[in-house]
Amino acid sequence: MSRFTTALGSSIGAKLVMALTGLALLGFVLAHMIGNLQVFAGPEKINAYAHTLQNLGPILWAMRIGLLTIFGLHVWTAFKLWTANKAARPVPYAVVVPSASTYASRTMIWSGFIVLAFIVYHLLHFTLGAVQGDIFQQTREAWTAADGKHPDVYAMIVRGFRSPAVALSYVVAQLLLGLHLSHGVSSVFQTLGFTSPRLACVKKAAGPLVATVIVIGNCSIPLAILLGLVGKGVN
Amino acid sequence: MKLDAKIPSGPVQQKWDKHRFEMKLINPANKRKYRVIVVGSGLAGGSAAASLAELGYNVECVTYHDSPRRAHSIAAQGGINAAKNYQNDGDSVWRLFYDTVKGGDFRAREANVYRLAQVSAAIIDQCVAQGVPFAREYGGLLDNRSFGGAQVSRTFYARGQTGQQLLLGCYAALSRQIASGKVKMRNREEVLDIVVEGGRARGIVTRNLVTGKITTSAADAVVLATGGYANVFYLSTNAKACNATAVVRAWRRGAGFANPCFTQIPPTCIPVTDEHASKTTLMSESLRNDGRVWVPLKTGEKRAPGQIPESERDYYLERRYPSFGNLAPRDISSRAAKVVCDEGRGVGPTGRGVYLDFADAIKRLGKNAISAKYGNLFDMYRNISGEDPYEVPMRIYPAPHYTMGGLWVDYNLMTTVPGLYAIGEANFSDHGANRLGASALMQGLADGYFVLPYTIGDFLASAGPSKLTADAPCFAAVQKETEDRTKRLLSIGGKQSPDSFHIRLGKVMWERCGMARNRAGLEQALVEIPKIRDEFWKDLRVVGSGTELNQTLEKAGRVADFLEFAELMCLDALEREESCGGHFREEYQTSEGEAVRNDETFAHSAIWEWQEGGKRPIRHKEELEFENVHLATRSYK
Amino acid sequence: MNLTLKVWRQQGPSTPGRFETYEAKGVSEHISFLEMLDGVNERLLGEGKEPIAFEHDCREGICGTCSMVINGEPHGPVKGTTACQLHMRMFSDGNVITIEPWRARAFPIIKDLVVDRSAFDRIIQKGGFISANAGSAPDGNAVPIPKPDADAAFEAAACIGCGACVAACPNGSAMLFVGAKVSHLGHLPQGQPERDLRALGMVQQADAELFGNCTNHYECGEHCPKEIDVKVIAEMNRDFVRAAIRAEEPKQVAGSG
C-alpha cells in the first residue's frame, strides 16, 4: 500500500489524480448533458428519464457519494497543487510574457472555482429547490405517470430558464467549464503518458473539441428555452 | 629538478601491461584510508574522481563552477578518436599511435602516446555503457567519421555535441559516487594554491566563491585537471572562467612546466567584429571539407564578396598547397590566413578574416545536402554573425583553442612534485607540438578512467598516507600567503579593471606569441609583459569585499597569474629555435614558408623550473626518443 | 544604440532585492547580450560601483551557466537560444530591457542574477545515471541500439541543465529537466535495469527540492534553449506510474553503488 501512497503523494501522483478524477467527472458531465438534451424530445422523455434515475434508490446514492468523492478529490488536489505552485515562486517576475501556455491553462484554478460555485448553485436550484423555490414546489408532483404523480422536470427546467438571469448564469458557467475542459482534457493525454507522434494532433485538439461539444450541448438548453424554442406547452 | 619519466622498459606494445603488473596495489579494504583531491570536473577530472571513488578511495572534487557539469569539455563539438577499426578501413592501435606522434610533430613521448591509443577503445565501451548517445547506423551499430584529415574513420561522435555528451556521461558517473558518499563534491570553490611539504603534495588552499572563505584541505594525493591556458590570449575559444591559476601555483611550488609555447590555433573560428568581443567561437573544421577559402586578390577591396569576380579572388590554400588544398592542416592554414590578412587582404569589418565559401558546394550538391551536413554549424554562424552563410560566404579567422603544453608529468602522470598529478589538458603529455582533431576528449578520458586510477595506487602504496592534517603549520603558512594576496588585490585601489589588463596582455600575446613568432617580437613581449604586470599591481581596481561573491576579484586573481605565466610562454617560445607544430618561428622556415623543425637540437620537451625572487626560470630537457615512429618532416604540398 | 536596463540587484540570499536602472550607451549591434552587460559592468567598475553579478562561462550556448530572464523570457526573446548567444541586433535603439534572475524557491538567489541551481545536481544524484564502473563495460557494439532510439535519447540528452524550464514554468516546476534525463536513459537498453528506481528517485527528489508541480502549461519546452520536447514529461509520467506499481521499495532510490 505504501508505494501507492508515496506515489500519490508525489507531484506526478497528484497530476494523475487530477487526470483520472477529471476524466471521471468529464464522463459524468457528458452523461448528464446527453440525459438533459432529452428536453428537446419533449416532457415525456425527460420526465421518464428523471423518474428512472430517482428510482435507482441505493444505487443512486452510491453514485452520488462516488461522484462527490471524486469531485472532492479533484478539488482538494487542485487546491493543494495551486498552493504548492504559488509557494514555488515566492517572488514574482516583474515582467511576464506567456507564450506556450494558454489562457485556459493559466486560469484553471479560477475557472475551476467558478464552476465549483456554479455546481453548488445548480444543486440548490434543481436538486434542493433553494433557488426559485416556488417553481420547484409547483412542479414537484405535477407529472402524472402510470404509477402516480412525479416531478415535472420538464416544466421545472422550462420555467427556470425563462428567467434571463438564470439562463445567462448557466451559459456563463458553461463557457467557463468549457475553458476548464479545453486545457484539462488535452492535459489528460500528457499526464497519462501518451507520446505517440500520431496522437500529437489528437492530444492538442481533444480539449477544445470536447469543450466545444459540451458548451454547445449544455448551453443549447437554456438558450432554446429563453428564445422560446422549447417549452411552448408550459405556461 | 630531477626529471625521471619512468618509462617502463621493453617494446612499446608491452610497456603498459608490464607496468600495470609491476605497480604496487592497495588492498581494497585499505583504499578508503586514502584521500585524493581532484581539482576540476571536466572529462579528465570528472572521470578520475568517479573512477577513484569506484575503486574505494575517498575523493574530494573541487570546481569553481556551480555544478561539475559546466566544465568546458562540454563545448567540444567534433568527436572522440578510438582505435576500434569498426569501419574495417585499416585502423589499429599502432596507426592511431603513429598518427598522433607524427601529428604532434615528434614532440611527444612515444610510450605515453602508445598507451593512449591502447586504452582508446575501452573509452568508447565505457561511454556507451554510461548511456552516451553516440551516432548510430540504421543497423544499430556505432557510426564513425573521418576527422581532421585522418585517412581512417575512427572518430565517434554525437552530432556536434560530443564533448557535451561525454561530459554528461562522466558527470553522471560522478553524481553516482557523490550520492554514495565516496566523492565529496565542492562546487563554487577555486583552488588558489597547492601545499607542498617535505617533498610531497599535501593538499590545497581554496576560496569559497560565495562566502569568500579561504580554507585548506589535506590529502594523500592531489590531482590537477584544470584544463589549458589558452585564455592567456584573452580572446580564445575557451570558456570565460578557464584559467591557469592552479597550474601556475603548482609550478611555483616546484612542478616543472613543459612546453608552454605549444598552443593550437585552428583556422575556423568566427572572427570578432567588435572591440568589445569577449571570446571567439570555434566551428568544426569539417566545414573545410566543402568550403573554399579565399580572399580578394587586391588589398583594400571594398566590394561585397558576391561582386568580386573569380579572376579577382585568391584561393590561397588551393594555390599554395595543391594536393591538400582547403584541407591543409590546422597550423598551416591558420598561418596562411594570417599572412594574407597581414598583406591587407583580409575581409570583414576588422580586416581580420578570410572567406569560407560554400557557393560551389551548394551548386554541386544542392542546398539540402549542405544543410544536412552542416545545418547546425550554419545556424550557429548565422546566430552569431547575423549573416546567412547559404547566401554570403562565411568569414573565418584563427583563434587560440587548445594548449599542448602543461605541467610535465612522468609515465604515471605525476608531476615533479611527488603526490601531485596532472591529467587532461593540464598536462603536456600526449599531443607533442600539435594535437590531432578529436584527440583531446580521448586523452582526458584515458587519463581519468584508465590511467590515473592505476598509477595513483602505485604511489600511495609506496608513499603511504600523508599523515599531515590541514592544521599542520605548512597549511597555515600557505593559507596566510593566499589571504594576503587576496587582500592585496582588493586594496590596490587603482583605476583599471582586471579585464582591461587581460585585454592588453592578450594583445601582446597574440601579436608576439601567437601563430607566428620571432626573436625580436618575443624579446619585446618579455619587456612589455612585466610592464603590464607592474601596472596591474599598482593600478588595479577591484570593488566589493572578499567575503562575498565577487566576480571582479576572481578575475583579478586569474589575470595576475596569467601575467606571470605569459612571460614563461614567451621565454619558452624564444628558446625553442625551430618551427614545429603549433609553434612557428619565422626565422625557421623554408623559402616557401614551410616550418623547419630542428631535430638535432630540439627533439626534446623543455621543462621550466620556477625560481625564487623573480629570477629567470631554469630550462631543463627531457630528450625524446623515437624508436617506433621515425622522425620525418611533415609535408602537405 | 542606446538602451535602458532595469536590472535586479540583490546583495545576498536574505537581503531584499530591487531593480536598478542603468543606461547602456553606444551599444554595437554586433556584440552579444552578455558582452553588452560586460560593458555596463566595466563602466560601473570605473565609477567605483559594484558590477552586476551574473553567471556565464562558455558563451557558446552549451555549458548552461548563463541564466537570466530578459523582458519576461528566460534567455530572452529568441527561441532555442541561450542568453550568451543572444545578439544585440535583436534589440533596437531606445529599448527598455528588464533583466531578472531565475525566480524559484528551489533556486535561491546568491547575488543579483546569480542563483543556486544545486537542486538539479541532487536530482541527478538520485538516479540520473547508469551504474557502470569504469572497466566493466562490454564492447560498444555488443548491444545494437536502433537509430531512432539513439536519436530519441540524444534529443533528450541535449539538456544543458540551465534551469530555464523552471524559470519559464508558471509553477516553477522542474519536470522538463527531470523528464529529459528519464527519457534519455529510458530510450537506451543500458538504461533499463535502473529505469524504475530512476523515475521514482528523481521525481521524489524534485518534489523534495520544493519545485512546483507540472500542470502542462508547456512554457518549459517553449523556452528551452535546446528545444527539448515536452513529450519527455509524458514519458517520465508513464515511467513513474509504472515504477510506482512495480517497484518493491518505493523509498529506496538508486545510488547506493
Side-chain angles (χ1 to χ4, degrees):
Chain A
M1 194 59 206
S2 77
R3 66 172 177 243
F4 279 113
T5 45
T6 314
L8 281 181
S10 76
S11 66
I12 295 183
K15 212 170 143 155
L16 205 65
V17 168
M18 290 308 288
L20 295 177
T21 53
L23 216 52
L25 293 172
L26 171 69
F28 169 76
V29 168
L30 277 170
H32 188 56
M33 178 184 81
I34 292 164
N36 288 353
L37 284 175
Q38 295 180 72
V39 80
F40 289 102
E44 291 301 317
K45 262 271 197 260
I46 191 153
N47 285 344
Y49 163 71
H51 181 55
T52 316
L53 281 184
Q54 278 177 341
N55 269 9
L56 288 174
I59 300 173
L60 178 69
W61 277 105
M63 278 166 68
R64 279 176 170 164
I65 290 166
L67 194 61
L68 206 67
T69 312
I70 287 169
F71 189 74
L73 216 53
H74 193 80
V75 173
W76 179 71
T77 310
F79 188 74
K80 198 180 78 174
L81 285 173
W82 179 63
T83 48
N85 293 343
K86 283 267 140 208
R89 176 161 299 137
V91 181
Y93 286 112
V95 183
V96 179
V97 183
S99 38
S101 60
T102 57
Y103 184 73
S105 77
R106 291 191 302 274
T107 53
M108 282 304 269
I109 193 74
W110 306 116
S111 57
F113 276 141
I114 296 169
V115 169
L116 170 66
F118 163 75
I119 289 166
V120 173
Y121 169 79
H122 178 56
L123 290 175
L124 290 174
H125 186 199
F126 282 150
T127 308
L128 302 171
V131 180
Q132 292 184 327
D134 47 337
I135 298 176
F136 188 79
Q137 290 305 330
Q138 284 161 16
T139 57
R140 242 191 128 137
E141 296 198 336
W143 179 57
T144 316
D147 59 344
K149 289 198 172 291
H150 298 293
D152 187 352
V153 173
Y154 183 81
M156 176 180 75
I157 295 173
V158 169
R159 284 188 196 156
F161 286 151
R162 276 183 184 159
S163 150
V166 171
L168 223 59
S169 69
Y170 271 71
V171 169
V172 168
Q174 291 313 306
L175 288 172
L176 284 164
L177 177 63
L179 193 68
H180 197 78
L181 288 174
S182 72
H183 175 71
V185 173
S186 283
S187 264
V188 166
F189 291 89
Q190 173 81 356
T191 302
L192 296 183
F194 289 88
T195 54
S196 157
R198 269 168 298 177
L199 272 177
C201 57
V202 178
K203 227 164 131 174
K204 210 170 165 172
L209 198 76
V210 170
T212 310
V213 168
I214 289 191
V215 170
I216 292 176
N218 278 347
C219 288
S220 67
I221 301 169
L223 288 178
I225 291 168
L226 199 63
L227 296 172
L229 304 174
V230 167
K232 287 199 184 84
V234 180
N235 50 32
Chain B
M1 179 174 279
K2 198 170 144 274
L3 295 171
D4 177 4
K6 300 203 180 96
I7 302 167
S9 59
V12 73
Q13 300 95 319
Q14 288 164 23
K15 285 182 196 289
W16 181 231
D17 277 352
K18 183 167 164 287
H19 191 58
R20 278 200 289 181
F21 177 70
E22 286 168 358
M23 280 188 287
K24 291 201 187 89
L25 298 173
I26 299 176
N27 178 316
N30 284 338
K31 287 200 177 93
R32 66 187 151 81
K33 294 180 184 156
Y34 290 95
R35 207 160 96 168
V36 181
I37 292 178
V38 178
V39 185
S41 66
L43 285 182
S47 60
S51 305
L52 290 171
E54 285 163 9
L55 287 172
Y57 294 106
N58 281 311
V59 180
E60 286 190 25
C61 184
V62 184
T63 174
Y64 53 66
H65 285 113
D66 68 324
S67 160
R69 67 182 294 158
R70 312 268 185 233
H72 197 52
S73 306
I74 206 153
Q77 299 168 358
I80 176 167
N81 287 331
K84 279 283 199 187
N85 193 30
Y86 280 160
Q87 302 306 319
N88 202 26
D89 56 1
D91 197 14
S92 62
V93 168
W94 191 269
R95 188 177 292 283
L96 177 54
F97 158 61
Y98 179 91
D99 287 354
T100 306
V101 171
K102 185 166 174 252
D105 222 2
F106 299 93
R107 292 295 174 263
R109 194 189 288 152
E110 273 194 347
N112 285 54
V113 179
Y114 192 86
R115 177 180 60 193
L116 173 67
Q118 247 176 325
V119 303
S120 65
I123 297 172
I124 301 305
D125 302 339
Q126 179 60 25
C127 294
V128 168
Q130 288 171 342
V132 170
F134 283 121
R136 288 185 181 261
E137 311 267 14
Y138 277 98
L141 302 179
L142 290 158
D143 192 17
N144 292 109
R145 62 184 172 198
S146 142
F147 200 79
Q151 310 273 18
V152 290
S153 292
R154 63 159 79 97
T155 304
F156 294 79
Y157 64 101
R159 298 204 194 154
Q161 285 151 257
T162 318
Q164 182 203 19
Q165 293 310 316
L166 294 176
L167 184 67
L168 293 182
C170 179
Y171 162 72
L174 183 60
S175 296
R176 173 170 161 248
Q177 295 307 319
I178 296 169
S180 76
K182 290 305 289 181
V183 174
K184 186 182 164 211
M185 191 67 219
R186 293 165 59 179
N187 296 328
R188 293 191 193 273
E189 283 196 52
E190 180 158 26
V191 171
L192 294 182
D193 218 330
I194 318 291
V195 180
V196 179
E197 174 73 15
R200 180 174 173 178
R202 303 292 180 169
I204 53 169
V205 178
T206 56
R207 177 170 180 272
N208 182 309
L209 299 181
V210 177
T211 62
K213 202 166 173 331
I214 291 171
T215 45
T216 55
S217 329
D220 300 302
V222 175
V223 181
L224 297 183
T226 53
Y229 48 84
N231 266 352
V232 71
F233 293 101
Y234 184 70
L235 285 178
S236 85
T237 66
N238 279 11
K240 290 300 286 176
C242 291
N243 67 79
T245 290
V247 289
V248 168
R249 292 287 133 196
W251 176 55
R252 291 176 61 115
R253 298 278 168 203
F257 206 107
N259 302 331
C261 77
F262 288 165
T263 48
Q264 186 165 61
I265 305 183
T268 46
C269 304
I270 302 176
V272 296
T273 46
D274 192 278
E275 53 170 332
H276 296 105
S278 58
K279 73 159 286 165
T280 54
T281 302
L282 178 74
M283 293 183 296
S284 168
E285 286 192 66
S286 61
L287 287 170
R288 290 199 283 144
N289 287 326
D290 284 299
R292 294 180 73 195
V293 176
W294 63 277
V295 288
L297 259 181
K298 62 171 204 234
T299 59
E301 179 64 73
K302 289 277 173 278
R303 285 175 289 179
Q307 265 133 37
I308 302 172
E310 271 313 295
S311 59
E312 291 176 46
R313 297 177 176 192
D314 179 13
Y315 294 90
Y316 59 89
L317 284 177
E318 296 172 18
R319 176 170 58 78
R320 287 180 61 184
Y321 308 99
S323 62
F324 271 77
N326 296 301
L327 289 172
R330 290 177 169 183
D331 50 331
I332 290 174
S333 41
S334 289
R335 275 198 303 279
K338 180 182 189 298
V339 169
V340 295
C341 291
D342 287 345
E343 289 167 4
R345 298 194 284 144
V347 301
T350 59
R352 290 274 144 197
V354 299
Y355 289 127
L356 179 64
D357 199 336
F358 289 87
D360 286 352
I362 291 171
K363 216 177 288 168
R364 193 174 67 243
L365 306 165
K367 192 176 164 180
N368 287 343
I370 293 297
S371 157
K373 261 176 153 169
Y374 309 114
N376 59 343
L377 292 168
F378 275 43
D379 290 347
M380 183 170 89
Y381 180 83
R382 181 167 36 200
N383 198 1
I384 293 173
S385 72
E387 290 172 358
D388 182 1
Y390 293 104
E391 304 296 331
V392 222
M394 282 184 178
R395 281 174 293 112
I396 57 170
Y397 199 65
H401 177 58
Y402 187 88
T403 54
M404 283 73 70
L407 292 176
W408 181 88
V409 290
D410 62 15
Y411 190 70
N412 295 318
L413 304 180
M414 190 159 84
T415 66
T416 51
V417 176
L420 181 66
Y421 289 79
I423 58 174
E425 195 180 348
N427 75 23
F428 88 118
S429 70
D430 299 339
H431 306 297
N434 182 40
R435 181 181 60 80
L436 290 184
S439 281
L441 303 183
M442 171 173 69
Q443 187 223 335
L445 290 179
D447 288 358
Y449 283 134
F450 298 117
V451 180
L452 184 81
Y454 297 87
T455 60
I456 209 168
D458 185 44
F459 167 78
L460 293 172
S462 354
S466 157
K467 297 203 178 92
L468 284 188
T469 51
D471 46 22
C474 57
F475 283 92
V478 184
Q479 176 168 3
K480 173 104 190 1
E481 277 179 50
T482 310
E483 282 166 353
D484 289 348
R485 197 167 53 243
T486 307
K487 272 186 210 134
R488 201 176 150 203
L489 288 168
L490 281 162
S491 62
I492 297 171
K495 291 210 157 48
Q496 301 177 58
S497 70
D499 263 347
S500 65
F501 287 106
H502 198 177
I503 291 170
R504 277 165 62 193
L505 173 69
K507 276 192 183 139
V508 171
M509 294 306 283
W510 181 240
E511 291 296 323
R512 317 264 184 227
C513 198
M515 278 179 282
R517 300 139 180 199
N518 59 53
R519 173 167 286 279
L522 290 164
E523 281 171 344
Q524 182 64 30
L526 287 171
V527 175
E528 288 168 353
I529 297 165
K531 271 193 199 152
I532 302 176
R533 193 167 57 221
D534 286 349
E535 208 180 315
F536 175 88
W537 287 106
K538 281 192 196 112
D539 198 30
L540 176 74
R541 171 178 282 181
V542 177
V543 297
S545 74
T547 55
E548 58 178 337
L549 180 72
N550 188 336
Q551 295 173 323
T552 319
L553 177 64
E554 292 166 27
K555 251 187 245 169
R558 292 165 191 165
V559 174
D561 289 323
F562 274 132
L563 281 164
E564 191 152 342
F565 177 73
E567 208 176 336
L568 179 69
M569 235 175 110
C570 293
L571 209 52
D572 187 47
L574 185 65
E575 295 281 306
R576 187 169 282 279
E577 296 177 321
E578 63 161 350
S579 295
C580 64
H583 171 64
F584 186 81
R585 280 285 297 268
E586 289 169 344
E587 302 96 315
Y588 307 100
Q589 57 179 318
T590 65
S591 54
E592 288 161 313
E594 304 304 321
V596 175
R597 211 176 62 213
N598 179 352
D599 294 330
E600 291 278 303
T601 325
F602 288 101
H604 63 247
S605 295
I607 296 99
W608 294 88
E609 180 182 357
W610 185 77
Q611 290 265 82
E612 202 76 46
K615 274 189 281 181
R616 192 178 201 270
I618 303 168
R619 188 179 194 267
H620 301 268
K621 289 186 224 175
E622 182 199 343
E623 292 298 340
L624 298 168
E625 280 160 38
F626 295 94
E627 293 166 352
N628 301 284
V629 184
H630 296 292
L631 284 161
T633 311
R634 289 194 308 169
S635 173
Y636 294 97
K637 278 284 187 186
Chain C
M1 67 184 94
N2 297 325
L3 304 162
T4 304
L5 308 180
K6 290 165 104 174
V7 186
W8 183 261
R9 303 299 304 262
Q10 184 169 338
Q11 197 57 37
S14 48
T15 38
R18 71 206 176 276
F19 282 101
E20 292 278 344
T21 305
Y22 304 101
E23 300 297 324
K25 290 202 167 29
V27 175
S28 155
E29 59 159 22
H30 294 298
I31 61 173
S32 71
F33 195 82
L34 300 190
E35 286 164 355
M36 183 274 293
L37 283 181
D38 288 342
V40 172
N41 276 347
E42 281 290 294
R43 213 194 62 218
L44 287 175
L45 191 59
E47 294 166 1
K49 292 178 188 150
E50 262 201 68
I52 303 157
F54 67 92
E55 287 204 285
H56 61 94
D57 198 27
C58 77
R59 299 205 175 187
E60 294 181 20
I62 194 75
C63 72
T65 311
C66 61
S67 47
M68 53 185 78
V69 174
I70 300 165
N71 283 340
E73 297 193 80
H75 291 302
V78 182
K79 208 170 146 55
T81 303
T82 54
C84 66
Q85 294 280 283
L86 178 67
H87 277 68
M88 293 313 294
R89 72 182 78 89
M90 298 301 165
F91 297 89
S92 36
D93 191 45
N95 278 174
V96 177
I97 305 173
T98 305
I99 308 172
E100 298 176 73
W102 284 175
R103 293 197 191 276
R105 182 170 49 171
F107 288 163
I109 291 178
I110 293 174
K111 188 175 181 177
D112 298 345
L113 305 173
V114 179
V115 301
D116 177 2
R117 286 170 285 188
S118 53
F120 271 12
D121 285 336
R122 291 188 291 273
I123 292 174
I124 295 291
Q125 285 157 20
K126 292 295 179 187
F129 50 76
I130 290 168
S131 299
N133 282 358
S136 58
D139 187 87
N141 264 344
V143 185
I145 303 174
K147 189 168 164 48
D149 288 343
D151 287 348
F154 178 90
E155 307 264 331
C159 167
I160 58 174
C162 64
C165 44
V166 175
C169 177
N171 307 337
S173 167
M175 285 311 173
L176 191 70
F177 172 79
V178 180
K181 189 49 65 188
V182 167
S183 166
H184 160 207
L185 298 176
H187 277 288
L188 297 171
Q190 289 84 358
Q192 300 313 309
E194 293 163 294
R195 191 169 175 175
D196 286 357
L197 290 177
R198 179 177 307 121
L200 289 174
M202 290 181 72
V203 170
Q204 280 167 15
Q205 187 62 32
D207 290 351
E209 297 287 350
L210 302 175
F211 285 105
N213 304 278
C214 172
T215 59
N216 306 329
H217 287 296
Y218 306 142
E219 290 285 358
C220 52
E222 190 69 16
H223 287 97
C224 172
K226 295 292 142 187
E227 301 185 80
I228 290 176
D229 196 307
V230 292
K231 76 165 192 249
V232 298
I233 300 177
E235 292 175 11
M236 171 191 64
N237 293 342
R238 202 168 54 194
D239 274 22
F240 181 84
V241 171
R242 192 175 46 202
I245 294 166
R246 283 203 308 217
E248 293 188 350
E249 277 285 40
K251 284 265 162 75
Q252 186 203 328
V253 292
S256 50

